[in-house]
Amino acid sequence: MKVTITLPNDQLPILEDIASEKGWLLDDSPSSTPLIACEPEVAYSSQSLSSDPEIVALRNERKQWRARIQELAALRQDWDDENADPIVPSLLKLIEDFLPLTTTDILAKWWLFPAPNGSLSLSPEGEQRAAVSIGTNGITAFARRGPYHVSSSVTASPQNLSALLTFLTNVYC
């Protein structure tokens, strides 16, 4: 069943966040009113969109990640005073494209770091039991259980965001 929700333009980002998190289909083409495929009882008013604690938390996490992406985009050659390369713009775009697929749990538990070769690293805050490297040639990730045992790993093309999402979800969520 399709439900039509009409919102002021300033509320559309909230609707996009909800649609992304819930896996709903959003048709926001210029010739249509936004449509979301969902059950009728989960239709939201613009009032509930801006006050739902889960949505607010998700929007805040995504906002922090977007700010971090902007910080990393501003890094120039030799940003570490040891001749580090700037971050490859396509990798920052990849992370930006990844954000709508994520949940608050994932965003709150992982941190994005620059690597000296222009790639990116994801690491869980405060823990050293998992790591993800995102480069132009691929995504490599591992998680360990105990001091030496690798319990999960993945290698995928940089465009395989579903493999990255699955890995991050399985490790901590």
Side-chain angles (χ1 to χ4, degrees):
M1 163 173 251
K2 289 188 176 182
V3 175
T4 302
I5 300 175
T6 305
L7 297 172
N9 285 341
D10 66 330
Q11 296 290 317
L12 194 54
I14 298 169
L15 179 63
E16 290 168 342
D17 285 345
I18 292 171
S20 172
E21 179 164 296
K22 302 291 185 185
W24 298 339
L25 302 175
L26 179 63
D27 177 4
D28 60 352
S29 59
S31 63
S32 71
T33 303
L35 298 176
I36 299 179
C38 63
E39 299 297 325
E41 63 270 14
V42 289
Y44 289 86
S45 70
S46 63
Q47 176 67 25
S48 68
L49 287 176
S50 58
S51 61
D52 182 312
E54 287 182 38
I55 299 304
V56 170
L58 180 61
R59 291 182 72 222
N60 288 340
E61 288 293 339
R62 286 182 178 159
K63 185 185 291 184
Q64 289 176 14
W65 272 66
R66 286 185 181 104
R68 180 66 173 158
I69 290 167
Q70 289 177 350
E71 288 173 16
L72 296 175
L75 294 177
R76 300 293 176 232
Q77 185 71 37
D78 197 34
W79 55 264
D80 66 349
D81 295 328
E82 294 187 21
N83 205 28
D85 291 330
I87 303 305
V88 176
S90 63
L91 298 178
L92 294 170
K93 171 77 169 100
L94 183 77
I95 296 297
E96 184 70 38
D97 292 346
F98 177 68
L99 288 180
L101 305 175
T102 60
T103 63
T104 305
D105 287 341
I106 290 173
L107 295 176
K109 292 176 180 160
W110 291 86
W111 189 246
L112 187 61
F113 294 98
N117 66 353
S119 65
L120 295 168
S121 295
L122 283 169
S123 181
E125 281 194 296
E127 297 189 35
Q128 298 297 320
R129 52 178 222 148
V132 178
S133 176
I134 303 168
T136 55
N137 294 325
I139 297 170
T140 304
F142 78 92
R144 65 182 165 90
R145 185 180 32 167
Y148 304 107
H149 183 262
V150 174
S151 61
S152 178
S153 65
V154 64
T155 302
S157 75
Q159 291 75 31
N160 192 345
L161 296 179
S162 63
L164 178 59
L165 182 62
T166 299
F167 177 82
L168 297 178
T169 302
N170 289 340
V171 169
Y172 280 102
C173 298

